[in-house]
């Protein structure tokens, strides 16, 4: 899939904002800890990806009802849905000057009852963007960090009305942020998340 760079200025994909708050001390401290045992930015990106994927449980998998949305809160509370985990990973990557975009898929609910927007990131290496899914693995889901072909959690099925959104956003989509900020708990969030962008 060809990804569409929404902002021609690459520095936009390094920016700090209220959600991707990589100027927060906890984000900086976490990034510094992850850089200790790596030799280059590629190894750091993989370490940050695996840290978010493996050590911050997806709240639906763990049964956690809390809703996080700001990167520093995800790292502090150690929980979040796909979007929140993507925000945390974007902050950790941007903290080490790796251009990182937010991107999305439209996926069907497991029970077939509608759709929801799923959050990913894309990292820029070797002049190209590479999508990564830090949602967290579970039986039937085996997402891996890769710059050589995508290893995402899901491949959209057009027959189910699923789709990849090719746009690379410098900031999280406002509809996603509104839902995350407004929802008092995860069950409510499921009803508030956008079904398409």
């Amino acid at each position: 899939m060809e990804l569409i760079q929404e902002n021609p200025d690459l520095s936009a994909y390094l920016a700090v904002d209220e959600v991707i708050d990589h100027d927060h001390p906890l984000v900086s401290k976490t990034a510094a800890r992850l850089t200790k045992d790596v030799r280059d930015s590629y190894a750091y990106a993989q370490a940050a990806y695996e840290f978010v994927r493996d050590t911050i449980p997806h709240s639906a998998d763990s049964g956690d009802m809390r809703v996080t949305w700001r990167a520093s809160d995800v790292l502090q509370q150690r929980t979040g849905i796909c979007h929140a985990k993507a925000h945390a990973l974007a902050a950790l990557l941007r903290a080490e000057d790796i251009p990182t975009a937010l991107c999305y898929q439209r996926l069907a609910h497991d029970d077939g009852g509608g759709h929801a927007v799923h959050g990913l990131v894309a990292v820029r290496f070797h002049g190209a963007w590479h999508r990564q899914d830090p949602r967290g693995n579970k039986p039937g889901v085996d997402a891996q960090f890769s710059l050589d072909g995508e290893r995402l959690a899901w491949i959209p099925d057009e027959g189910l009305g699923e789709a990849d959104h090719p746009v690379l956003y410098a900031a999280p989509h406002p509809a996603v942020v509104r839902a995350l900020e407004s929802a008092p708990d995860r069950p409510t969030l499921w009803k508030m998340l956008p079904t398409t962008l």
Side-chain angles (χ1 to χ4, degrees):
M1 182 189 73
E2 185 175 340
L3 297 171
I4 300 167
Q5 186 173 326
E6 186 175 66
N7 193 320
D9 181 3
L10 268 183
S11 68
Y13 298 98
L14 293 169
V16 66
D17 61 32
E18 185 181 13
V19 180
I20 312 297
D21 59 342
H22 57 86
D23 58 348
H24 189 280
L26 179 56
V27 178
S28 301
K29 181 180 173 184
T30 305
R33 192 173 75 244
L34 291 169
T35 60
K36 281 184 182 177
D37 299 320
V38 298
R39 63 192 177 286
D40 56 29
S41 59
Y42 170 81
Y44 172 80
Q46 183 170 1
Y49 168 84
E50 291 173 355
F51 173 79
V52 173
R53 183 194 65 188
D54 299 341
T55 71
I56 300 172
H58 188 288
S59 57
D61 296 346
S62 66
D64 196 320
M65 295 297 153
R66 295 175 294 167
V67 176
T68 54
W69 54 275
R70 185 180 290 116
S72 57
D73 292 339
V74 176
L75 295 176
Q76 180 184 27
Q77 296 182 41
R78 286 289 217 262
T79 190
I81 66 164
C82 59
H83 300 288
K85 293 183 68 167
H87 299 164
L89 179 56
L92 289 171
L93 294 170
R94 290 182 183 187
E96 291 298 313
D97 294 321
I98 298 170
T100 307
L102 287 302
C103 45
Y104 303 93
Q105 295 176 316
R106 181 178 195 249
L107 299 174
H109 290 298
D110 291 340
D111 63 7
H115 295 83
V117 172
H118 175 61
L120 313 165
V121 303
V123 294
R124 189 166 176 91
F125 278 103
H126 312 303
W129 290 97
H130 307 272
R131 293 190 306 166
Q132 314 294 330
D133 189 341
R135 156 238 192 267
N137 290 337
K138 62 179 185 175
V141 174
D142 183 27
Q144 301 294 327
F145 184 84
S146 175
L147 302 183
D148 183 26
E150 292 185 336
R151 299 280 308 275
L152 305 178
W154 292 285
I155 299 170
D157 181 339
E158 291 180 11
L160 297 175
E162 298 180 335
D164 281 313
H165 291 279
V167 176
L168 297 165
Y169 293 91
H173 195 283
V176 170
V177 176
R178 272 194 305 274
L180 291 168
E181 281 186 295
S182 303
D185 55 41
R186 189 171 39 78
T188 307
L189 176 62
W190 285 164
K191 300 171 189 171
M192 297 175 68
L193 282 172
T195 59
T196 192
L197 296 178

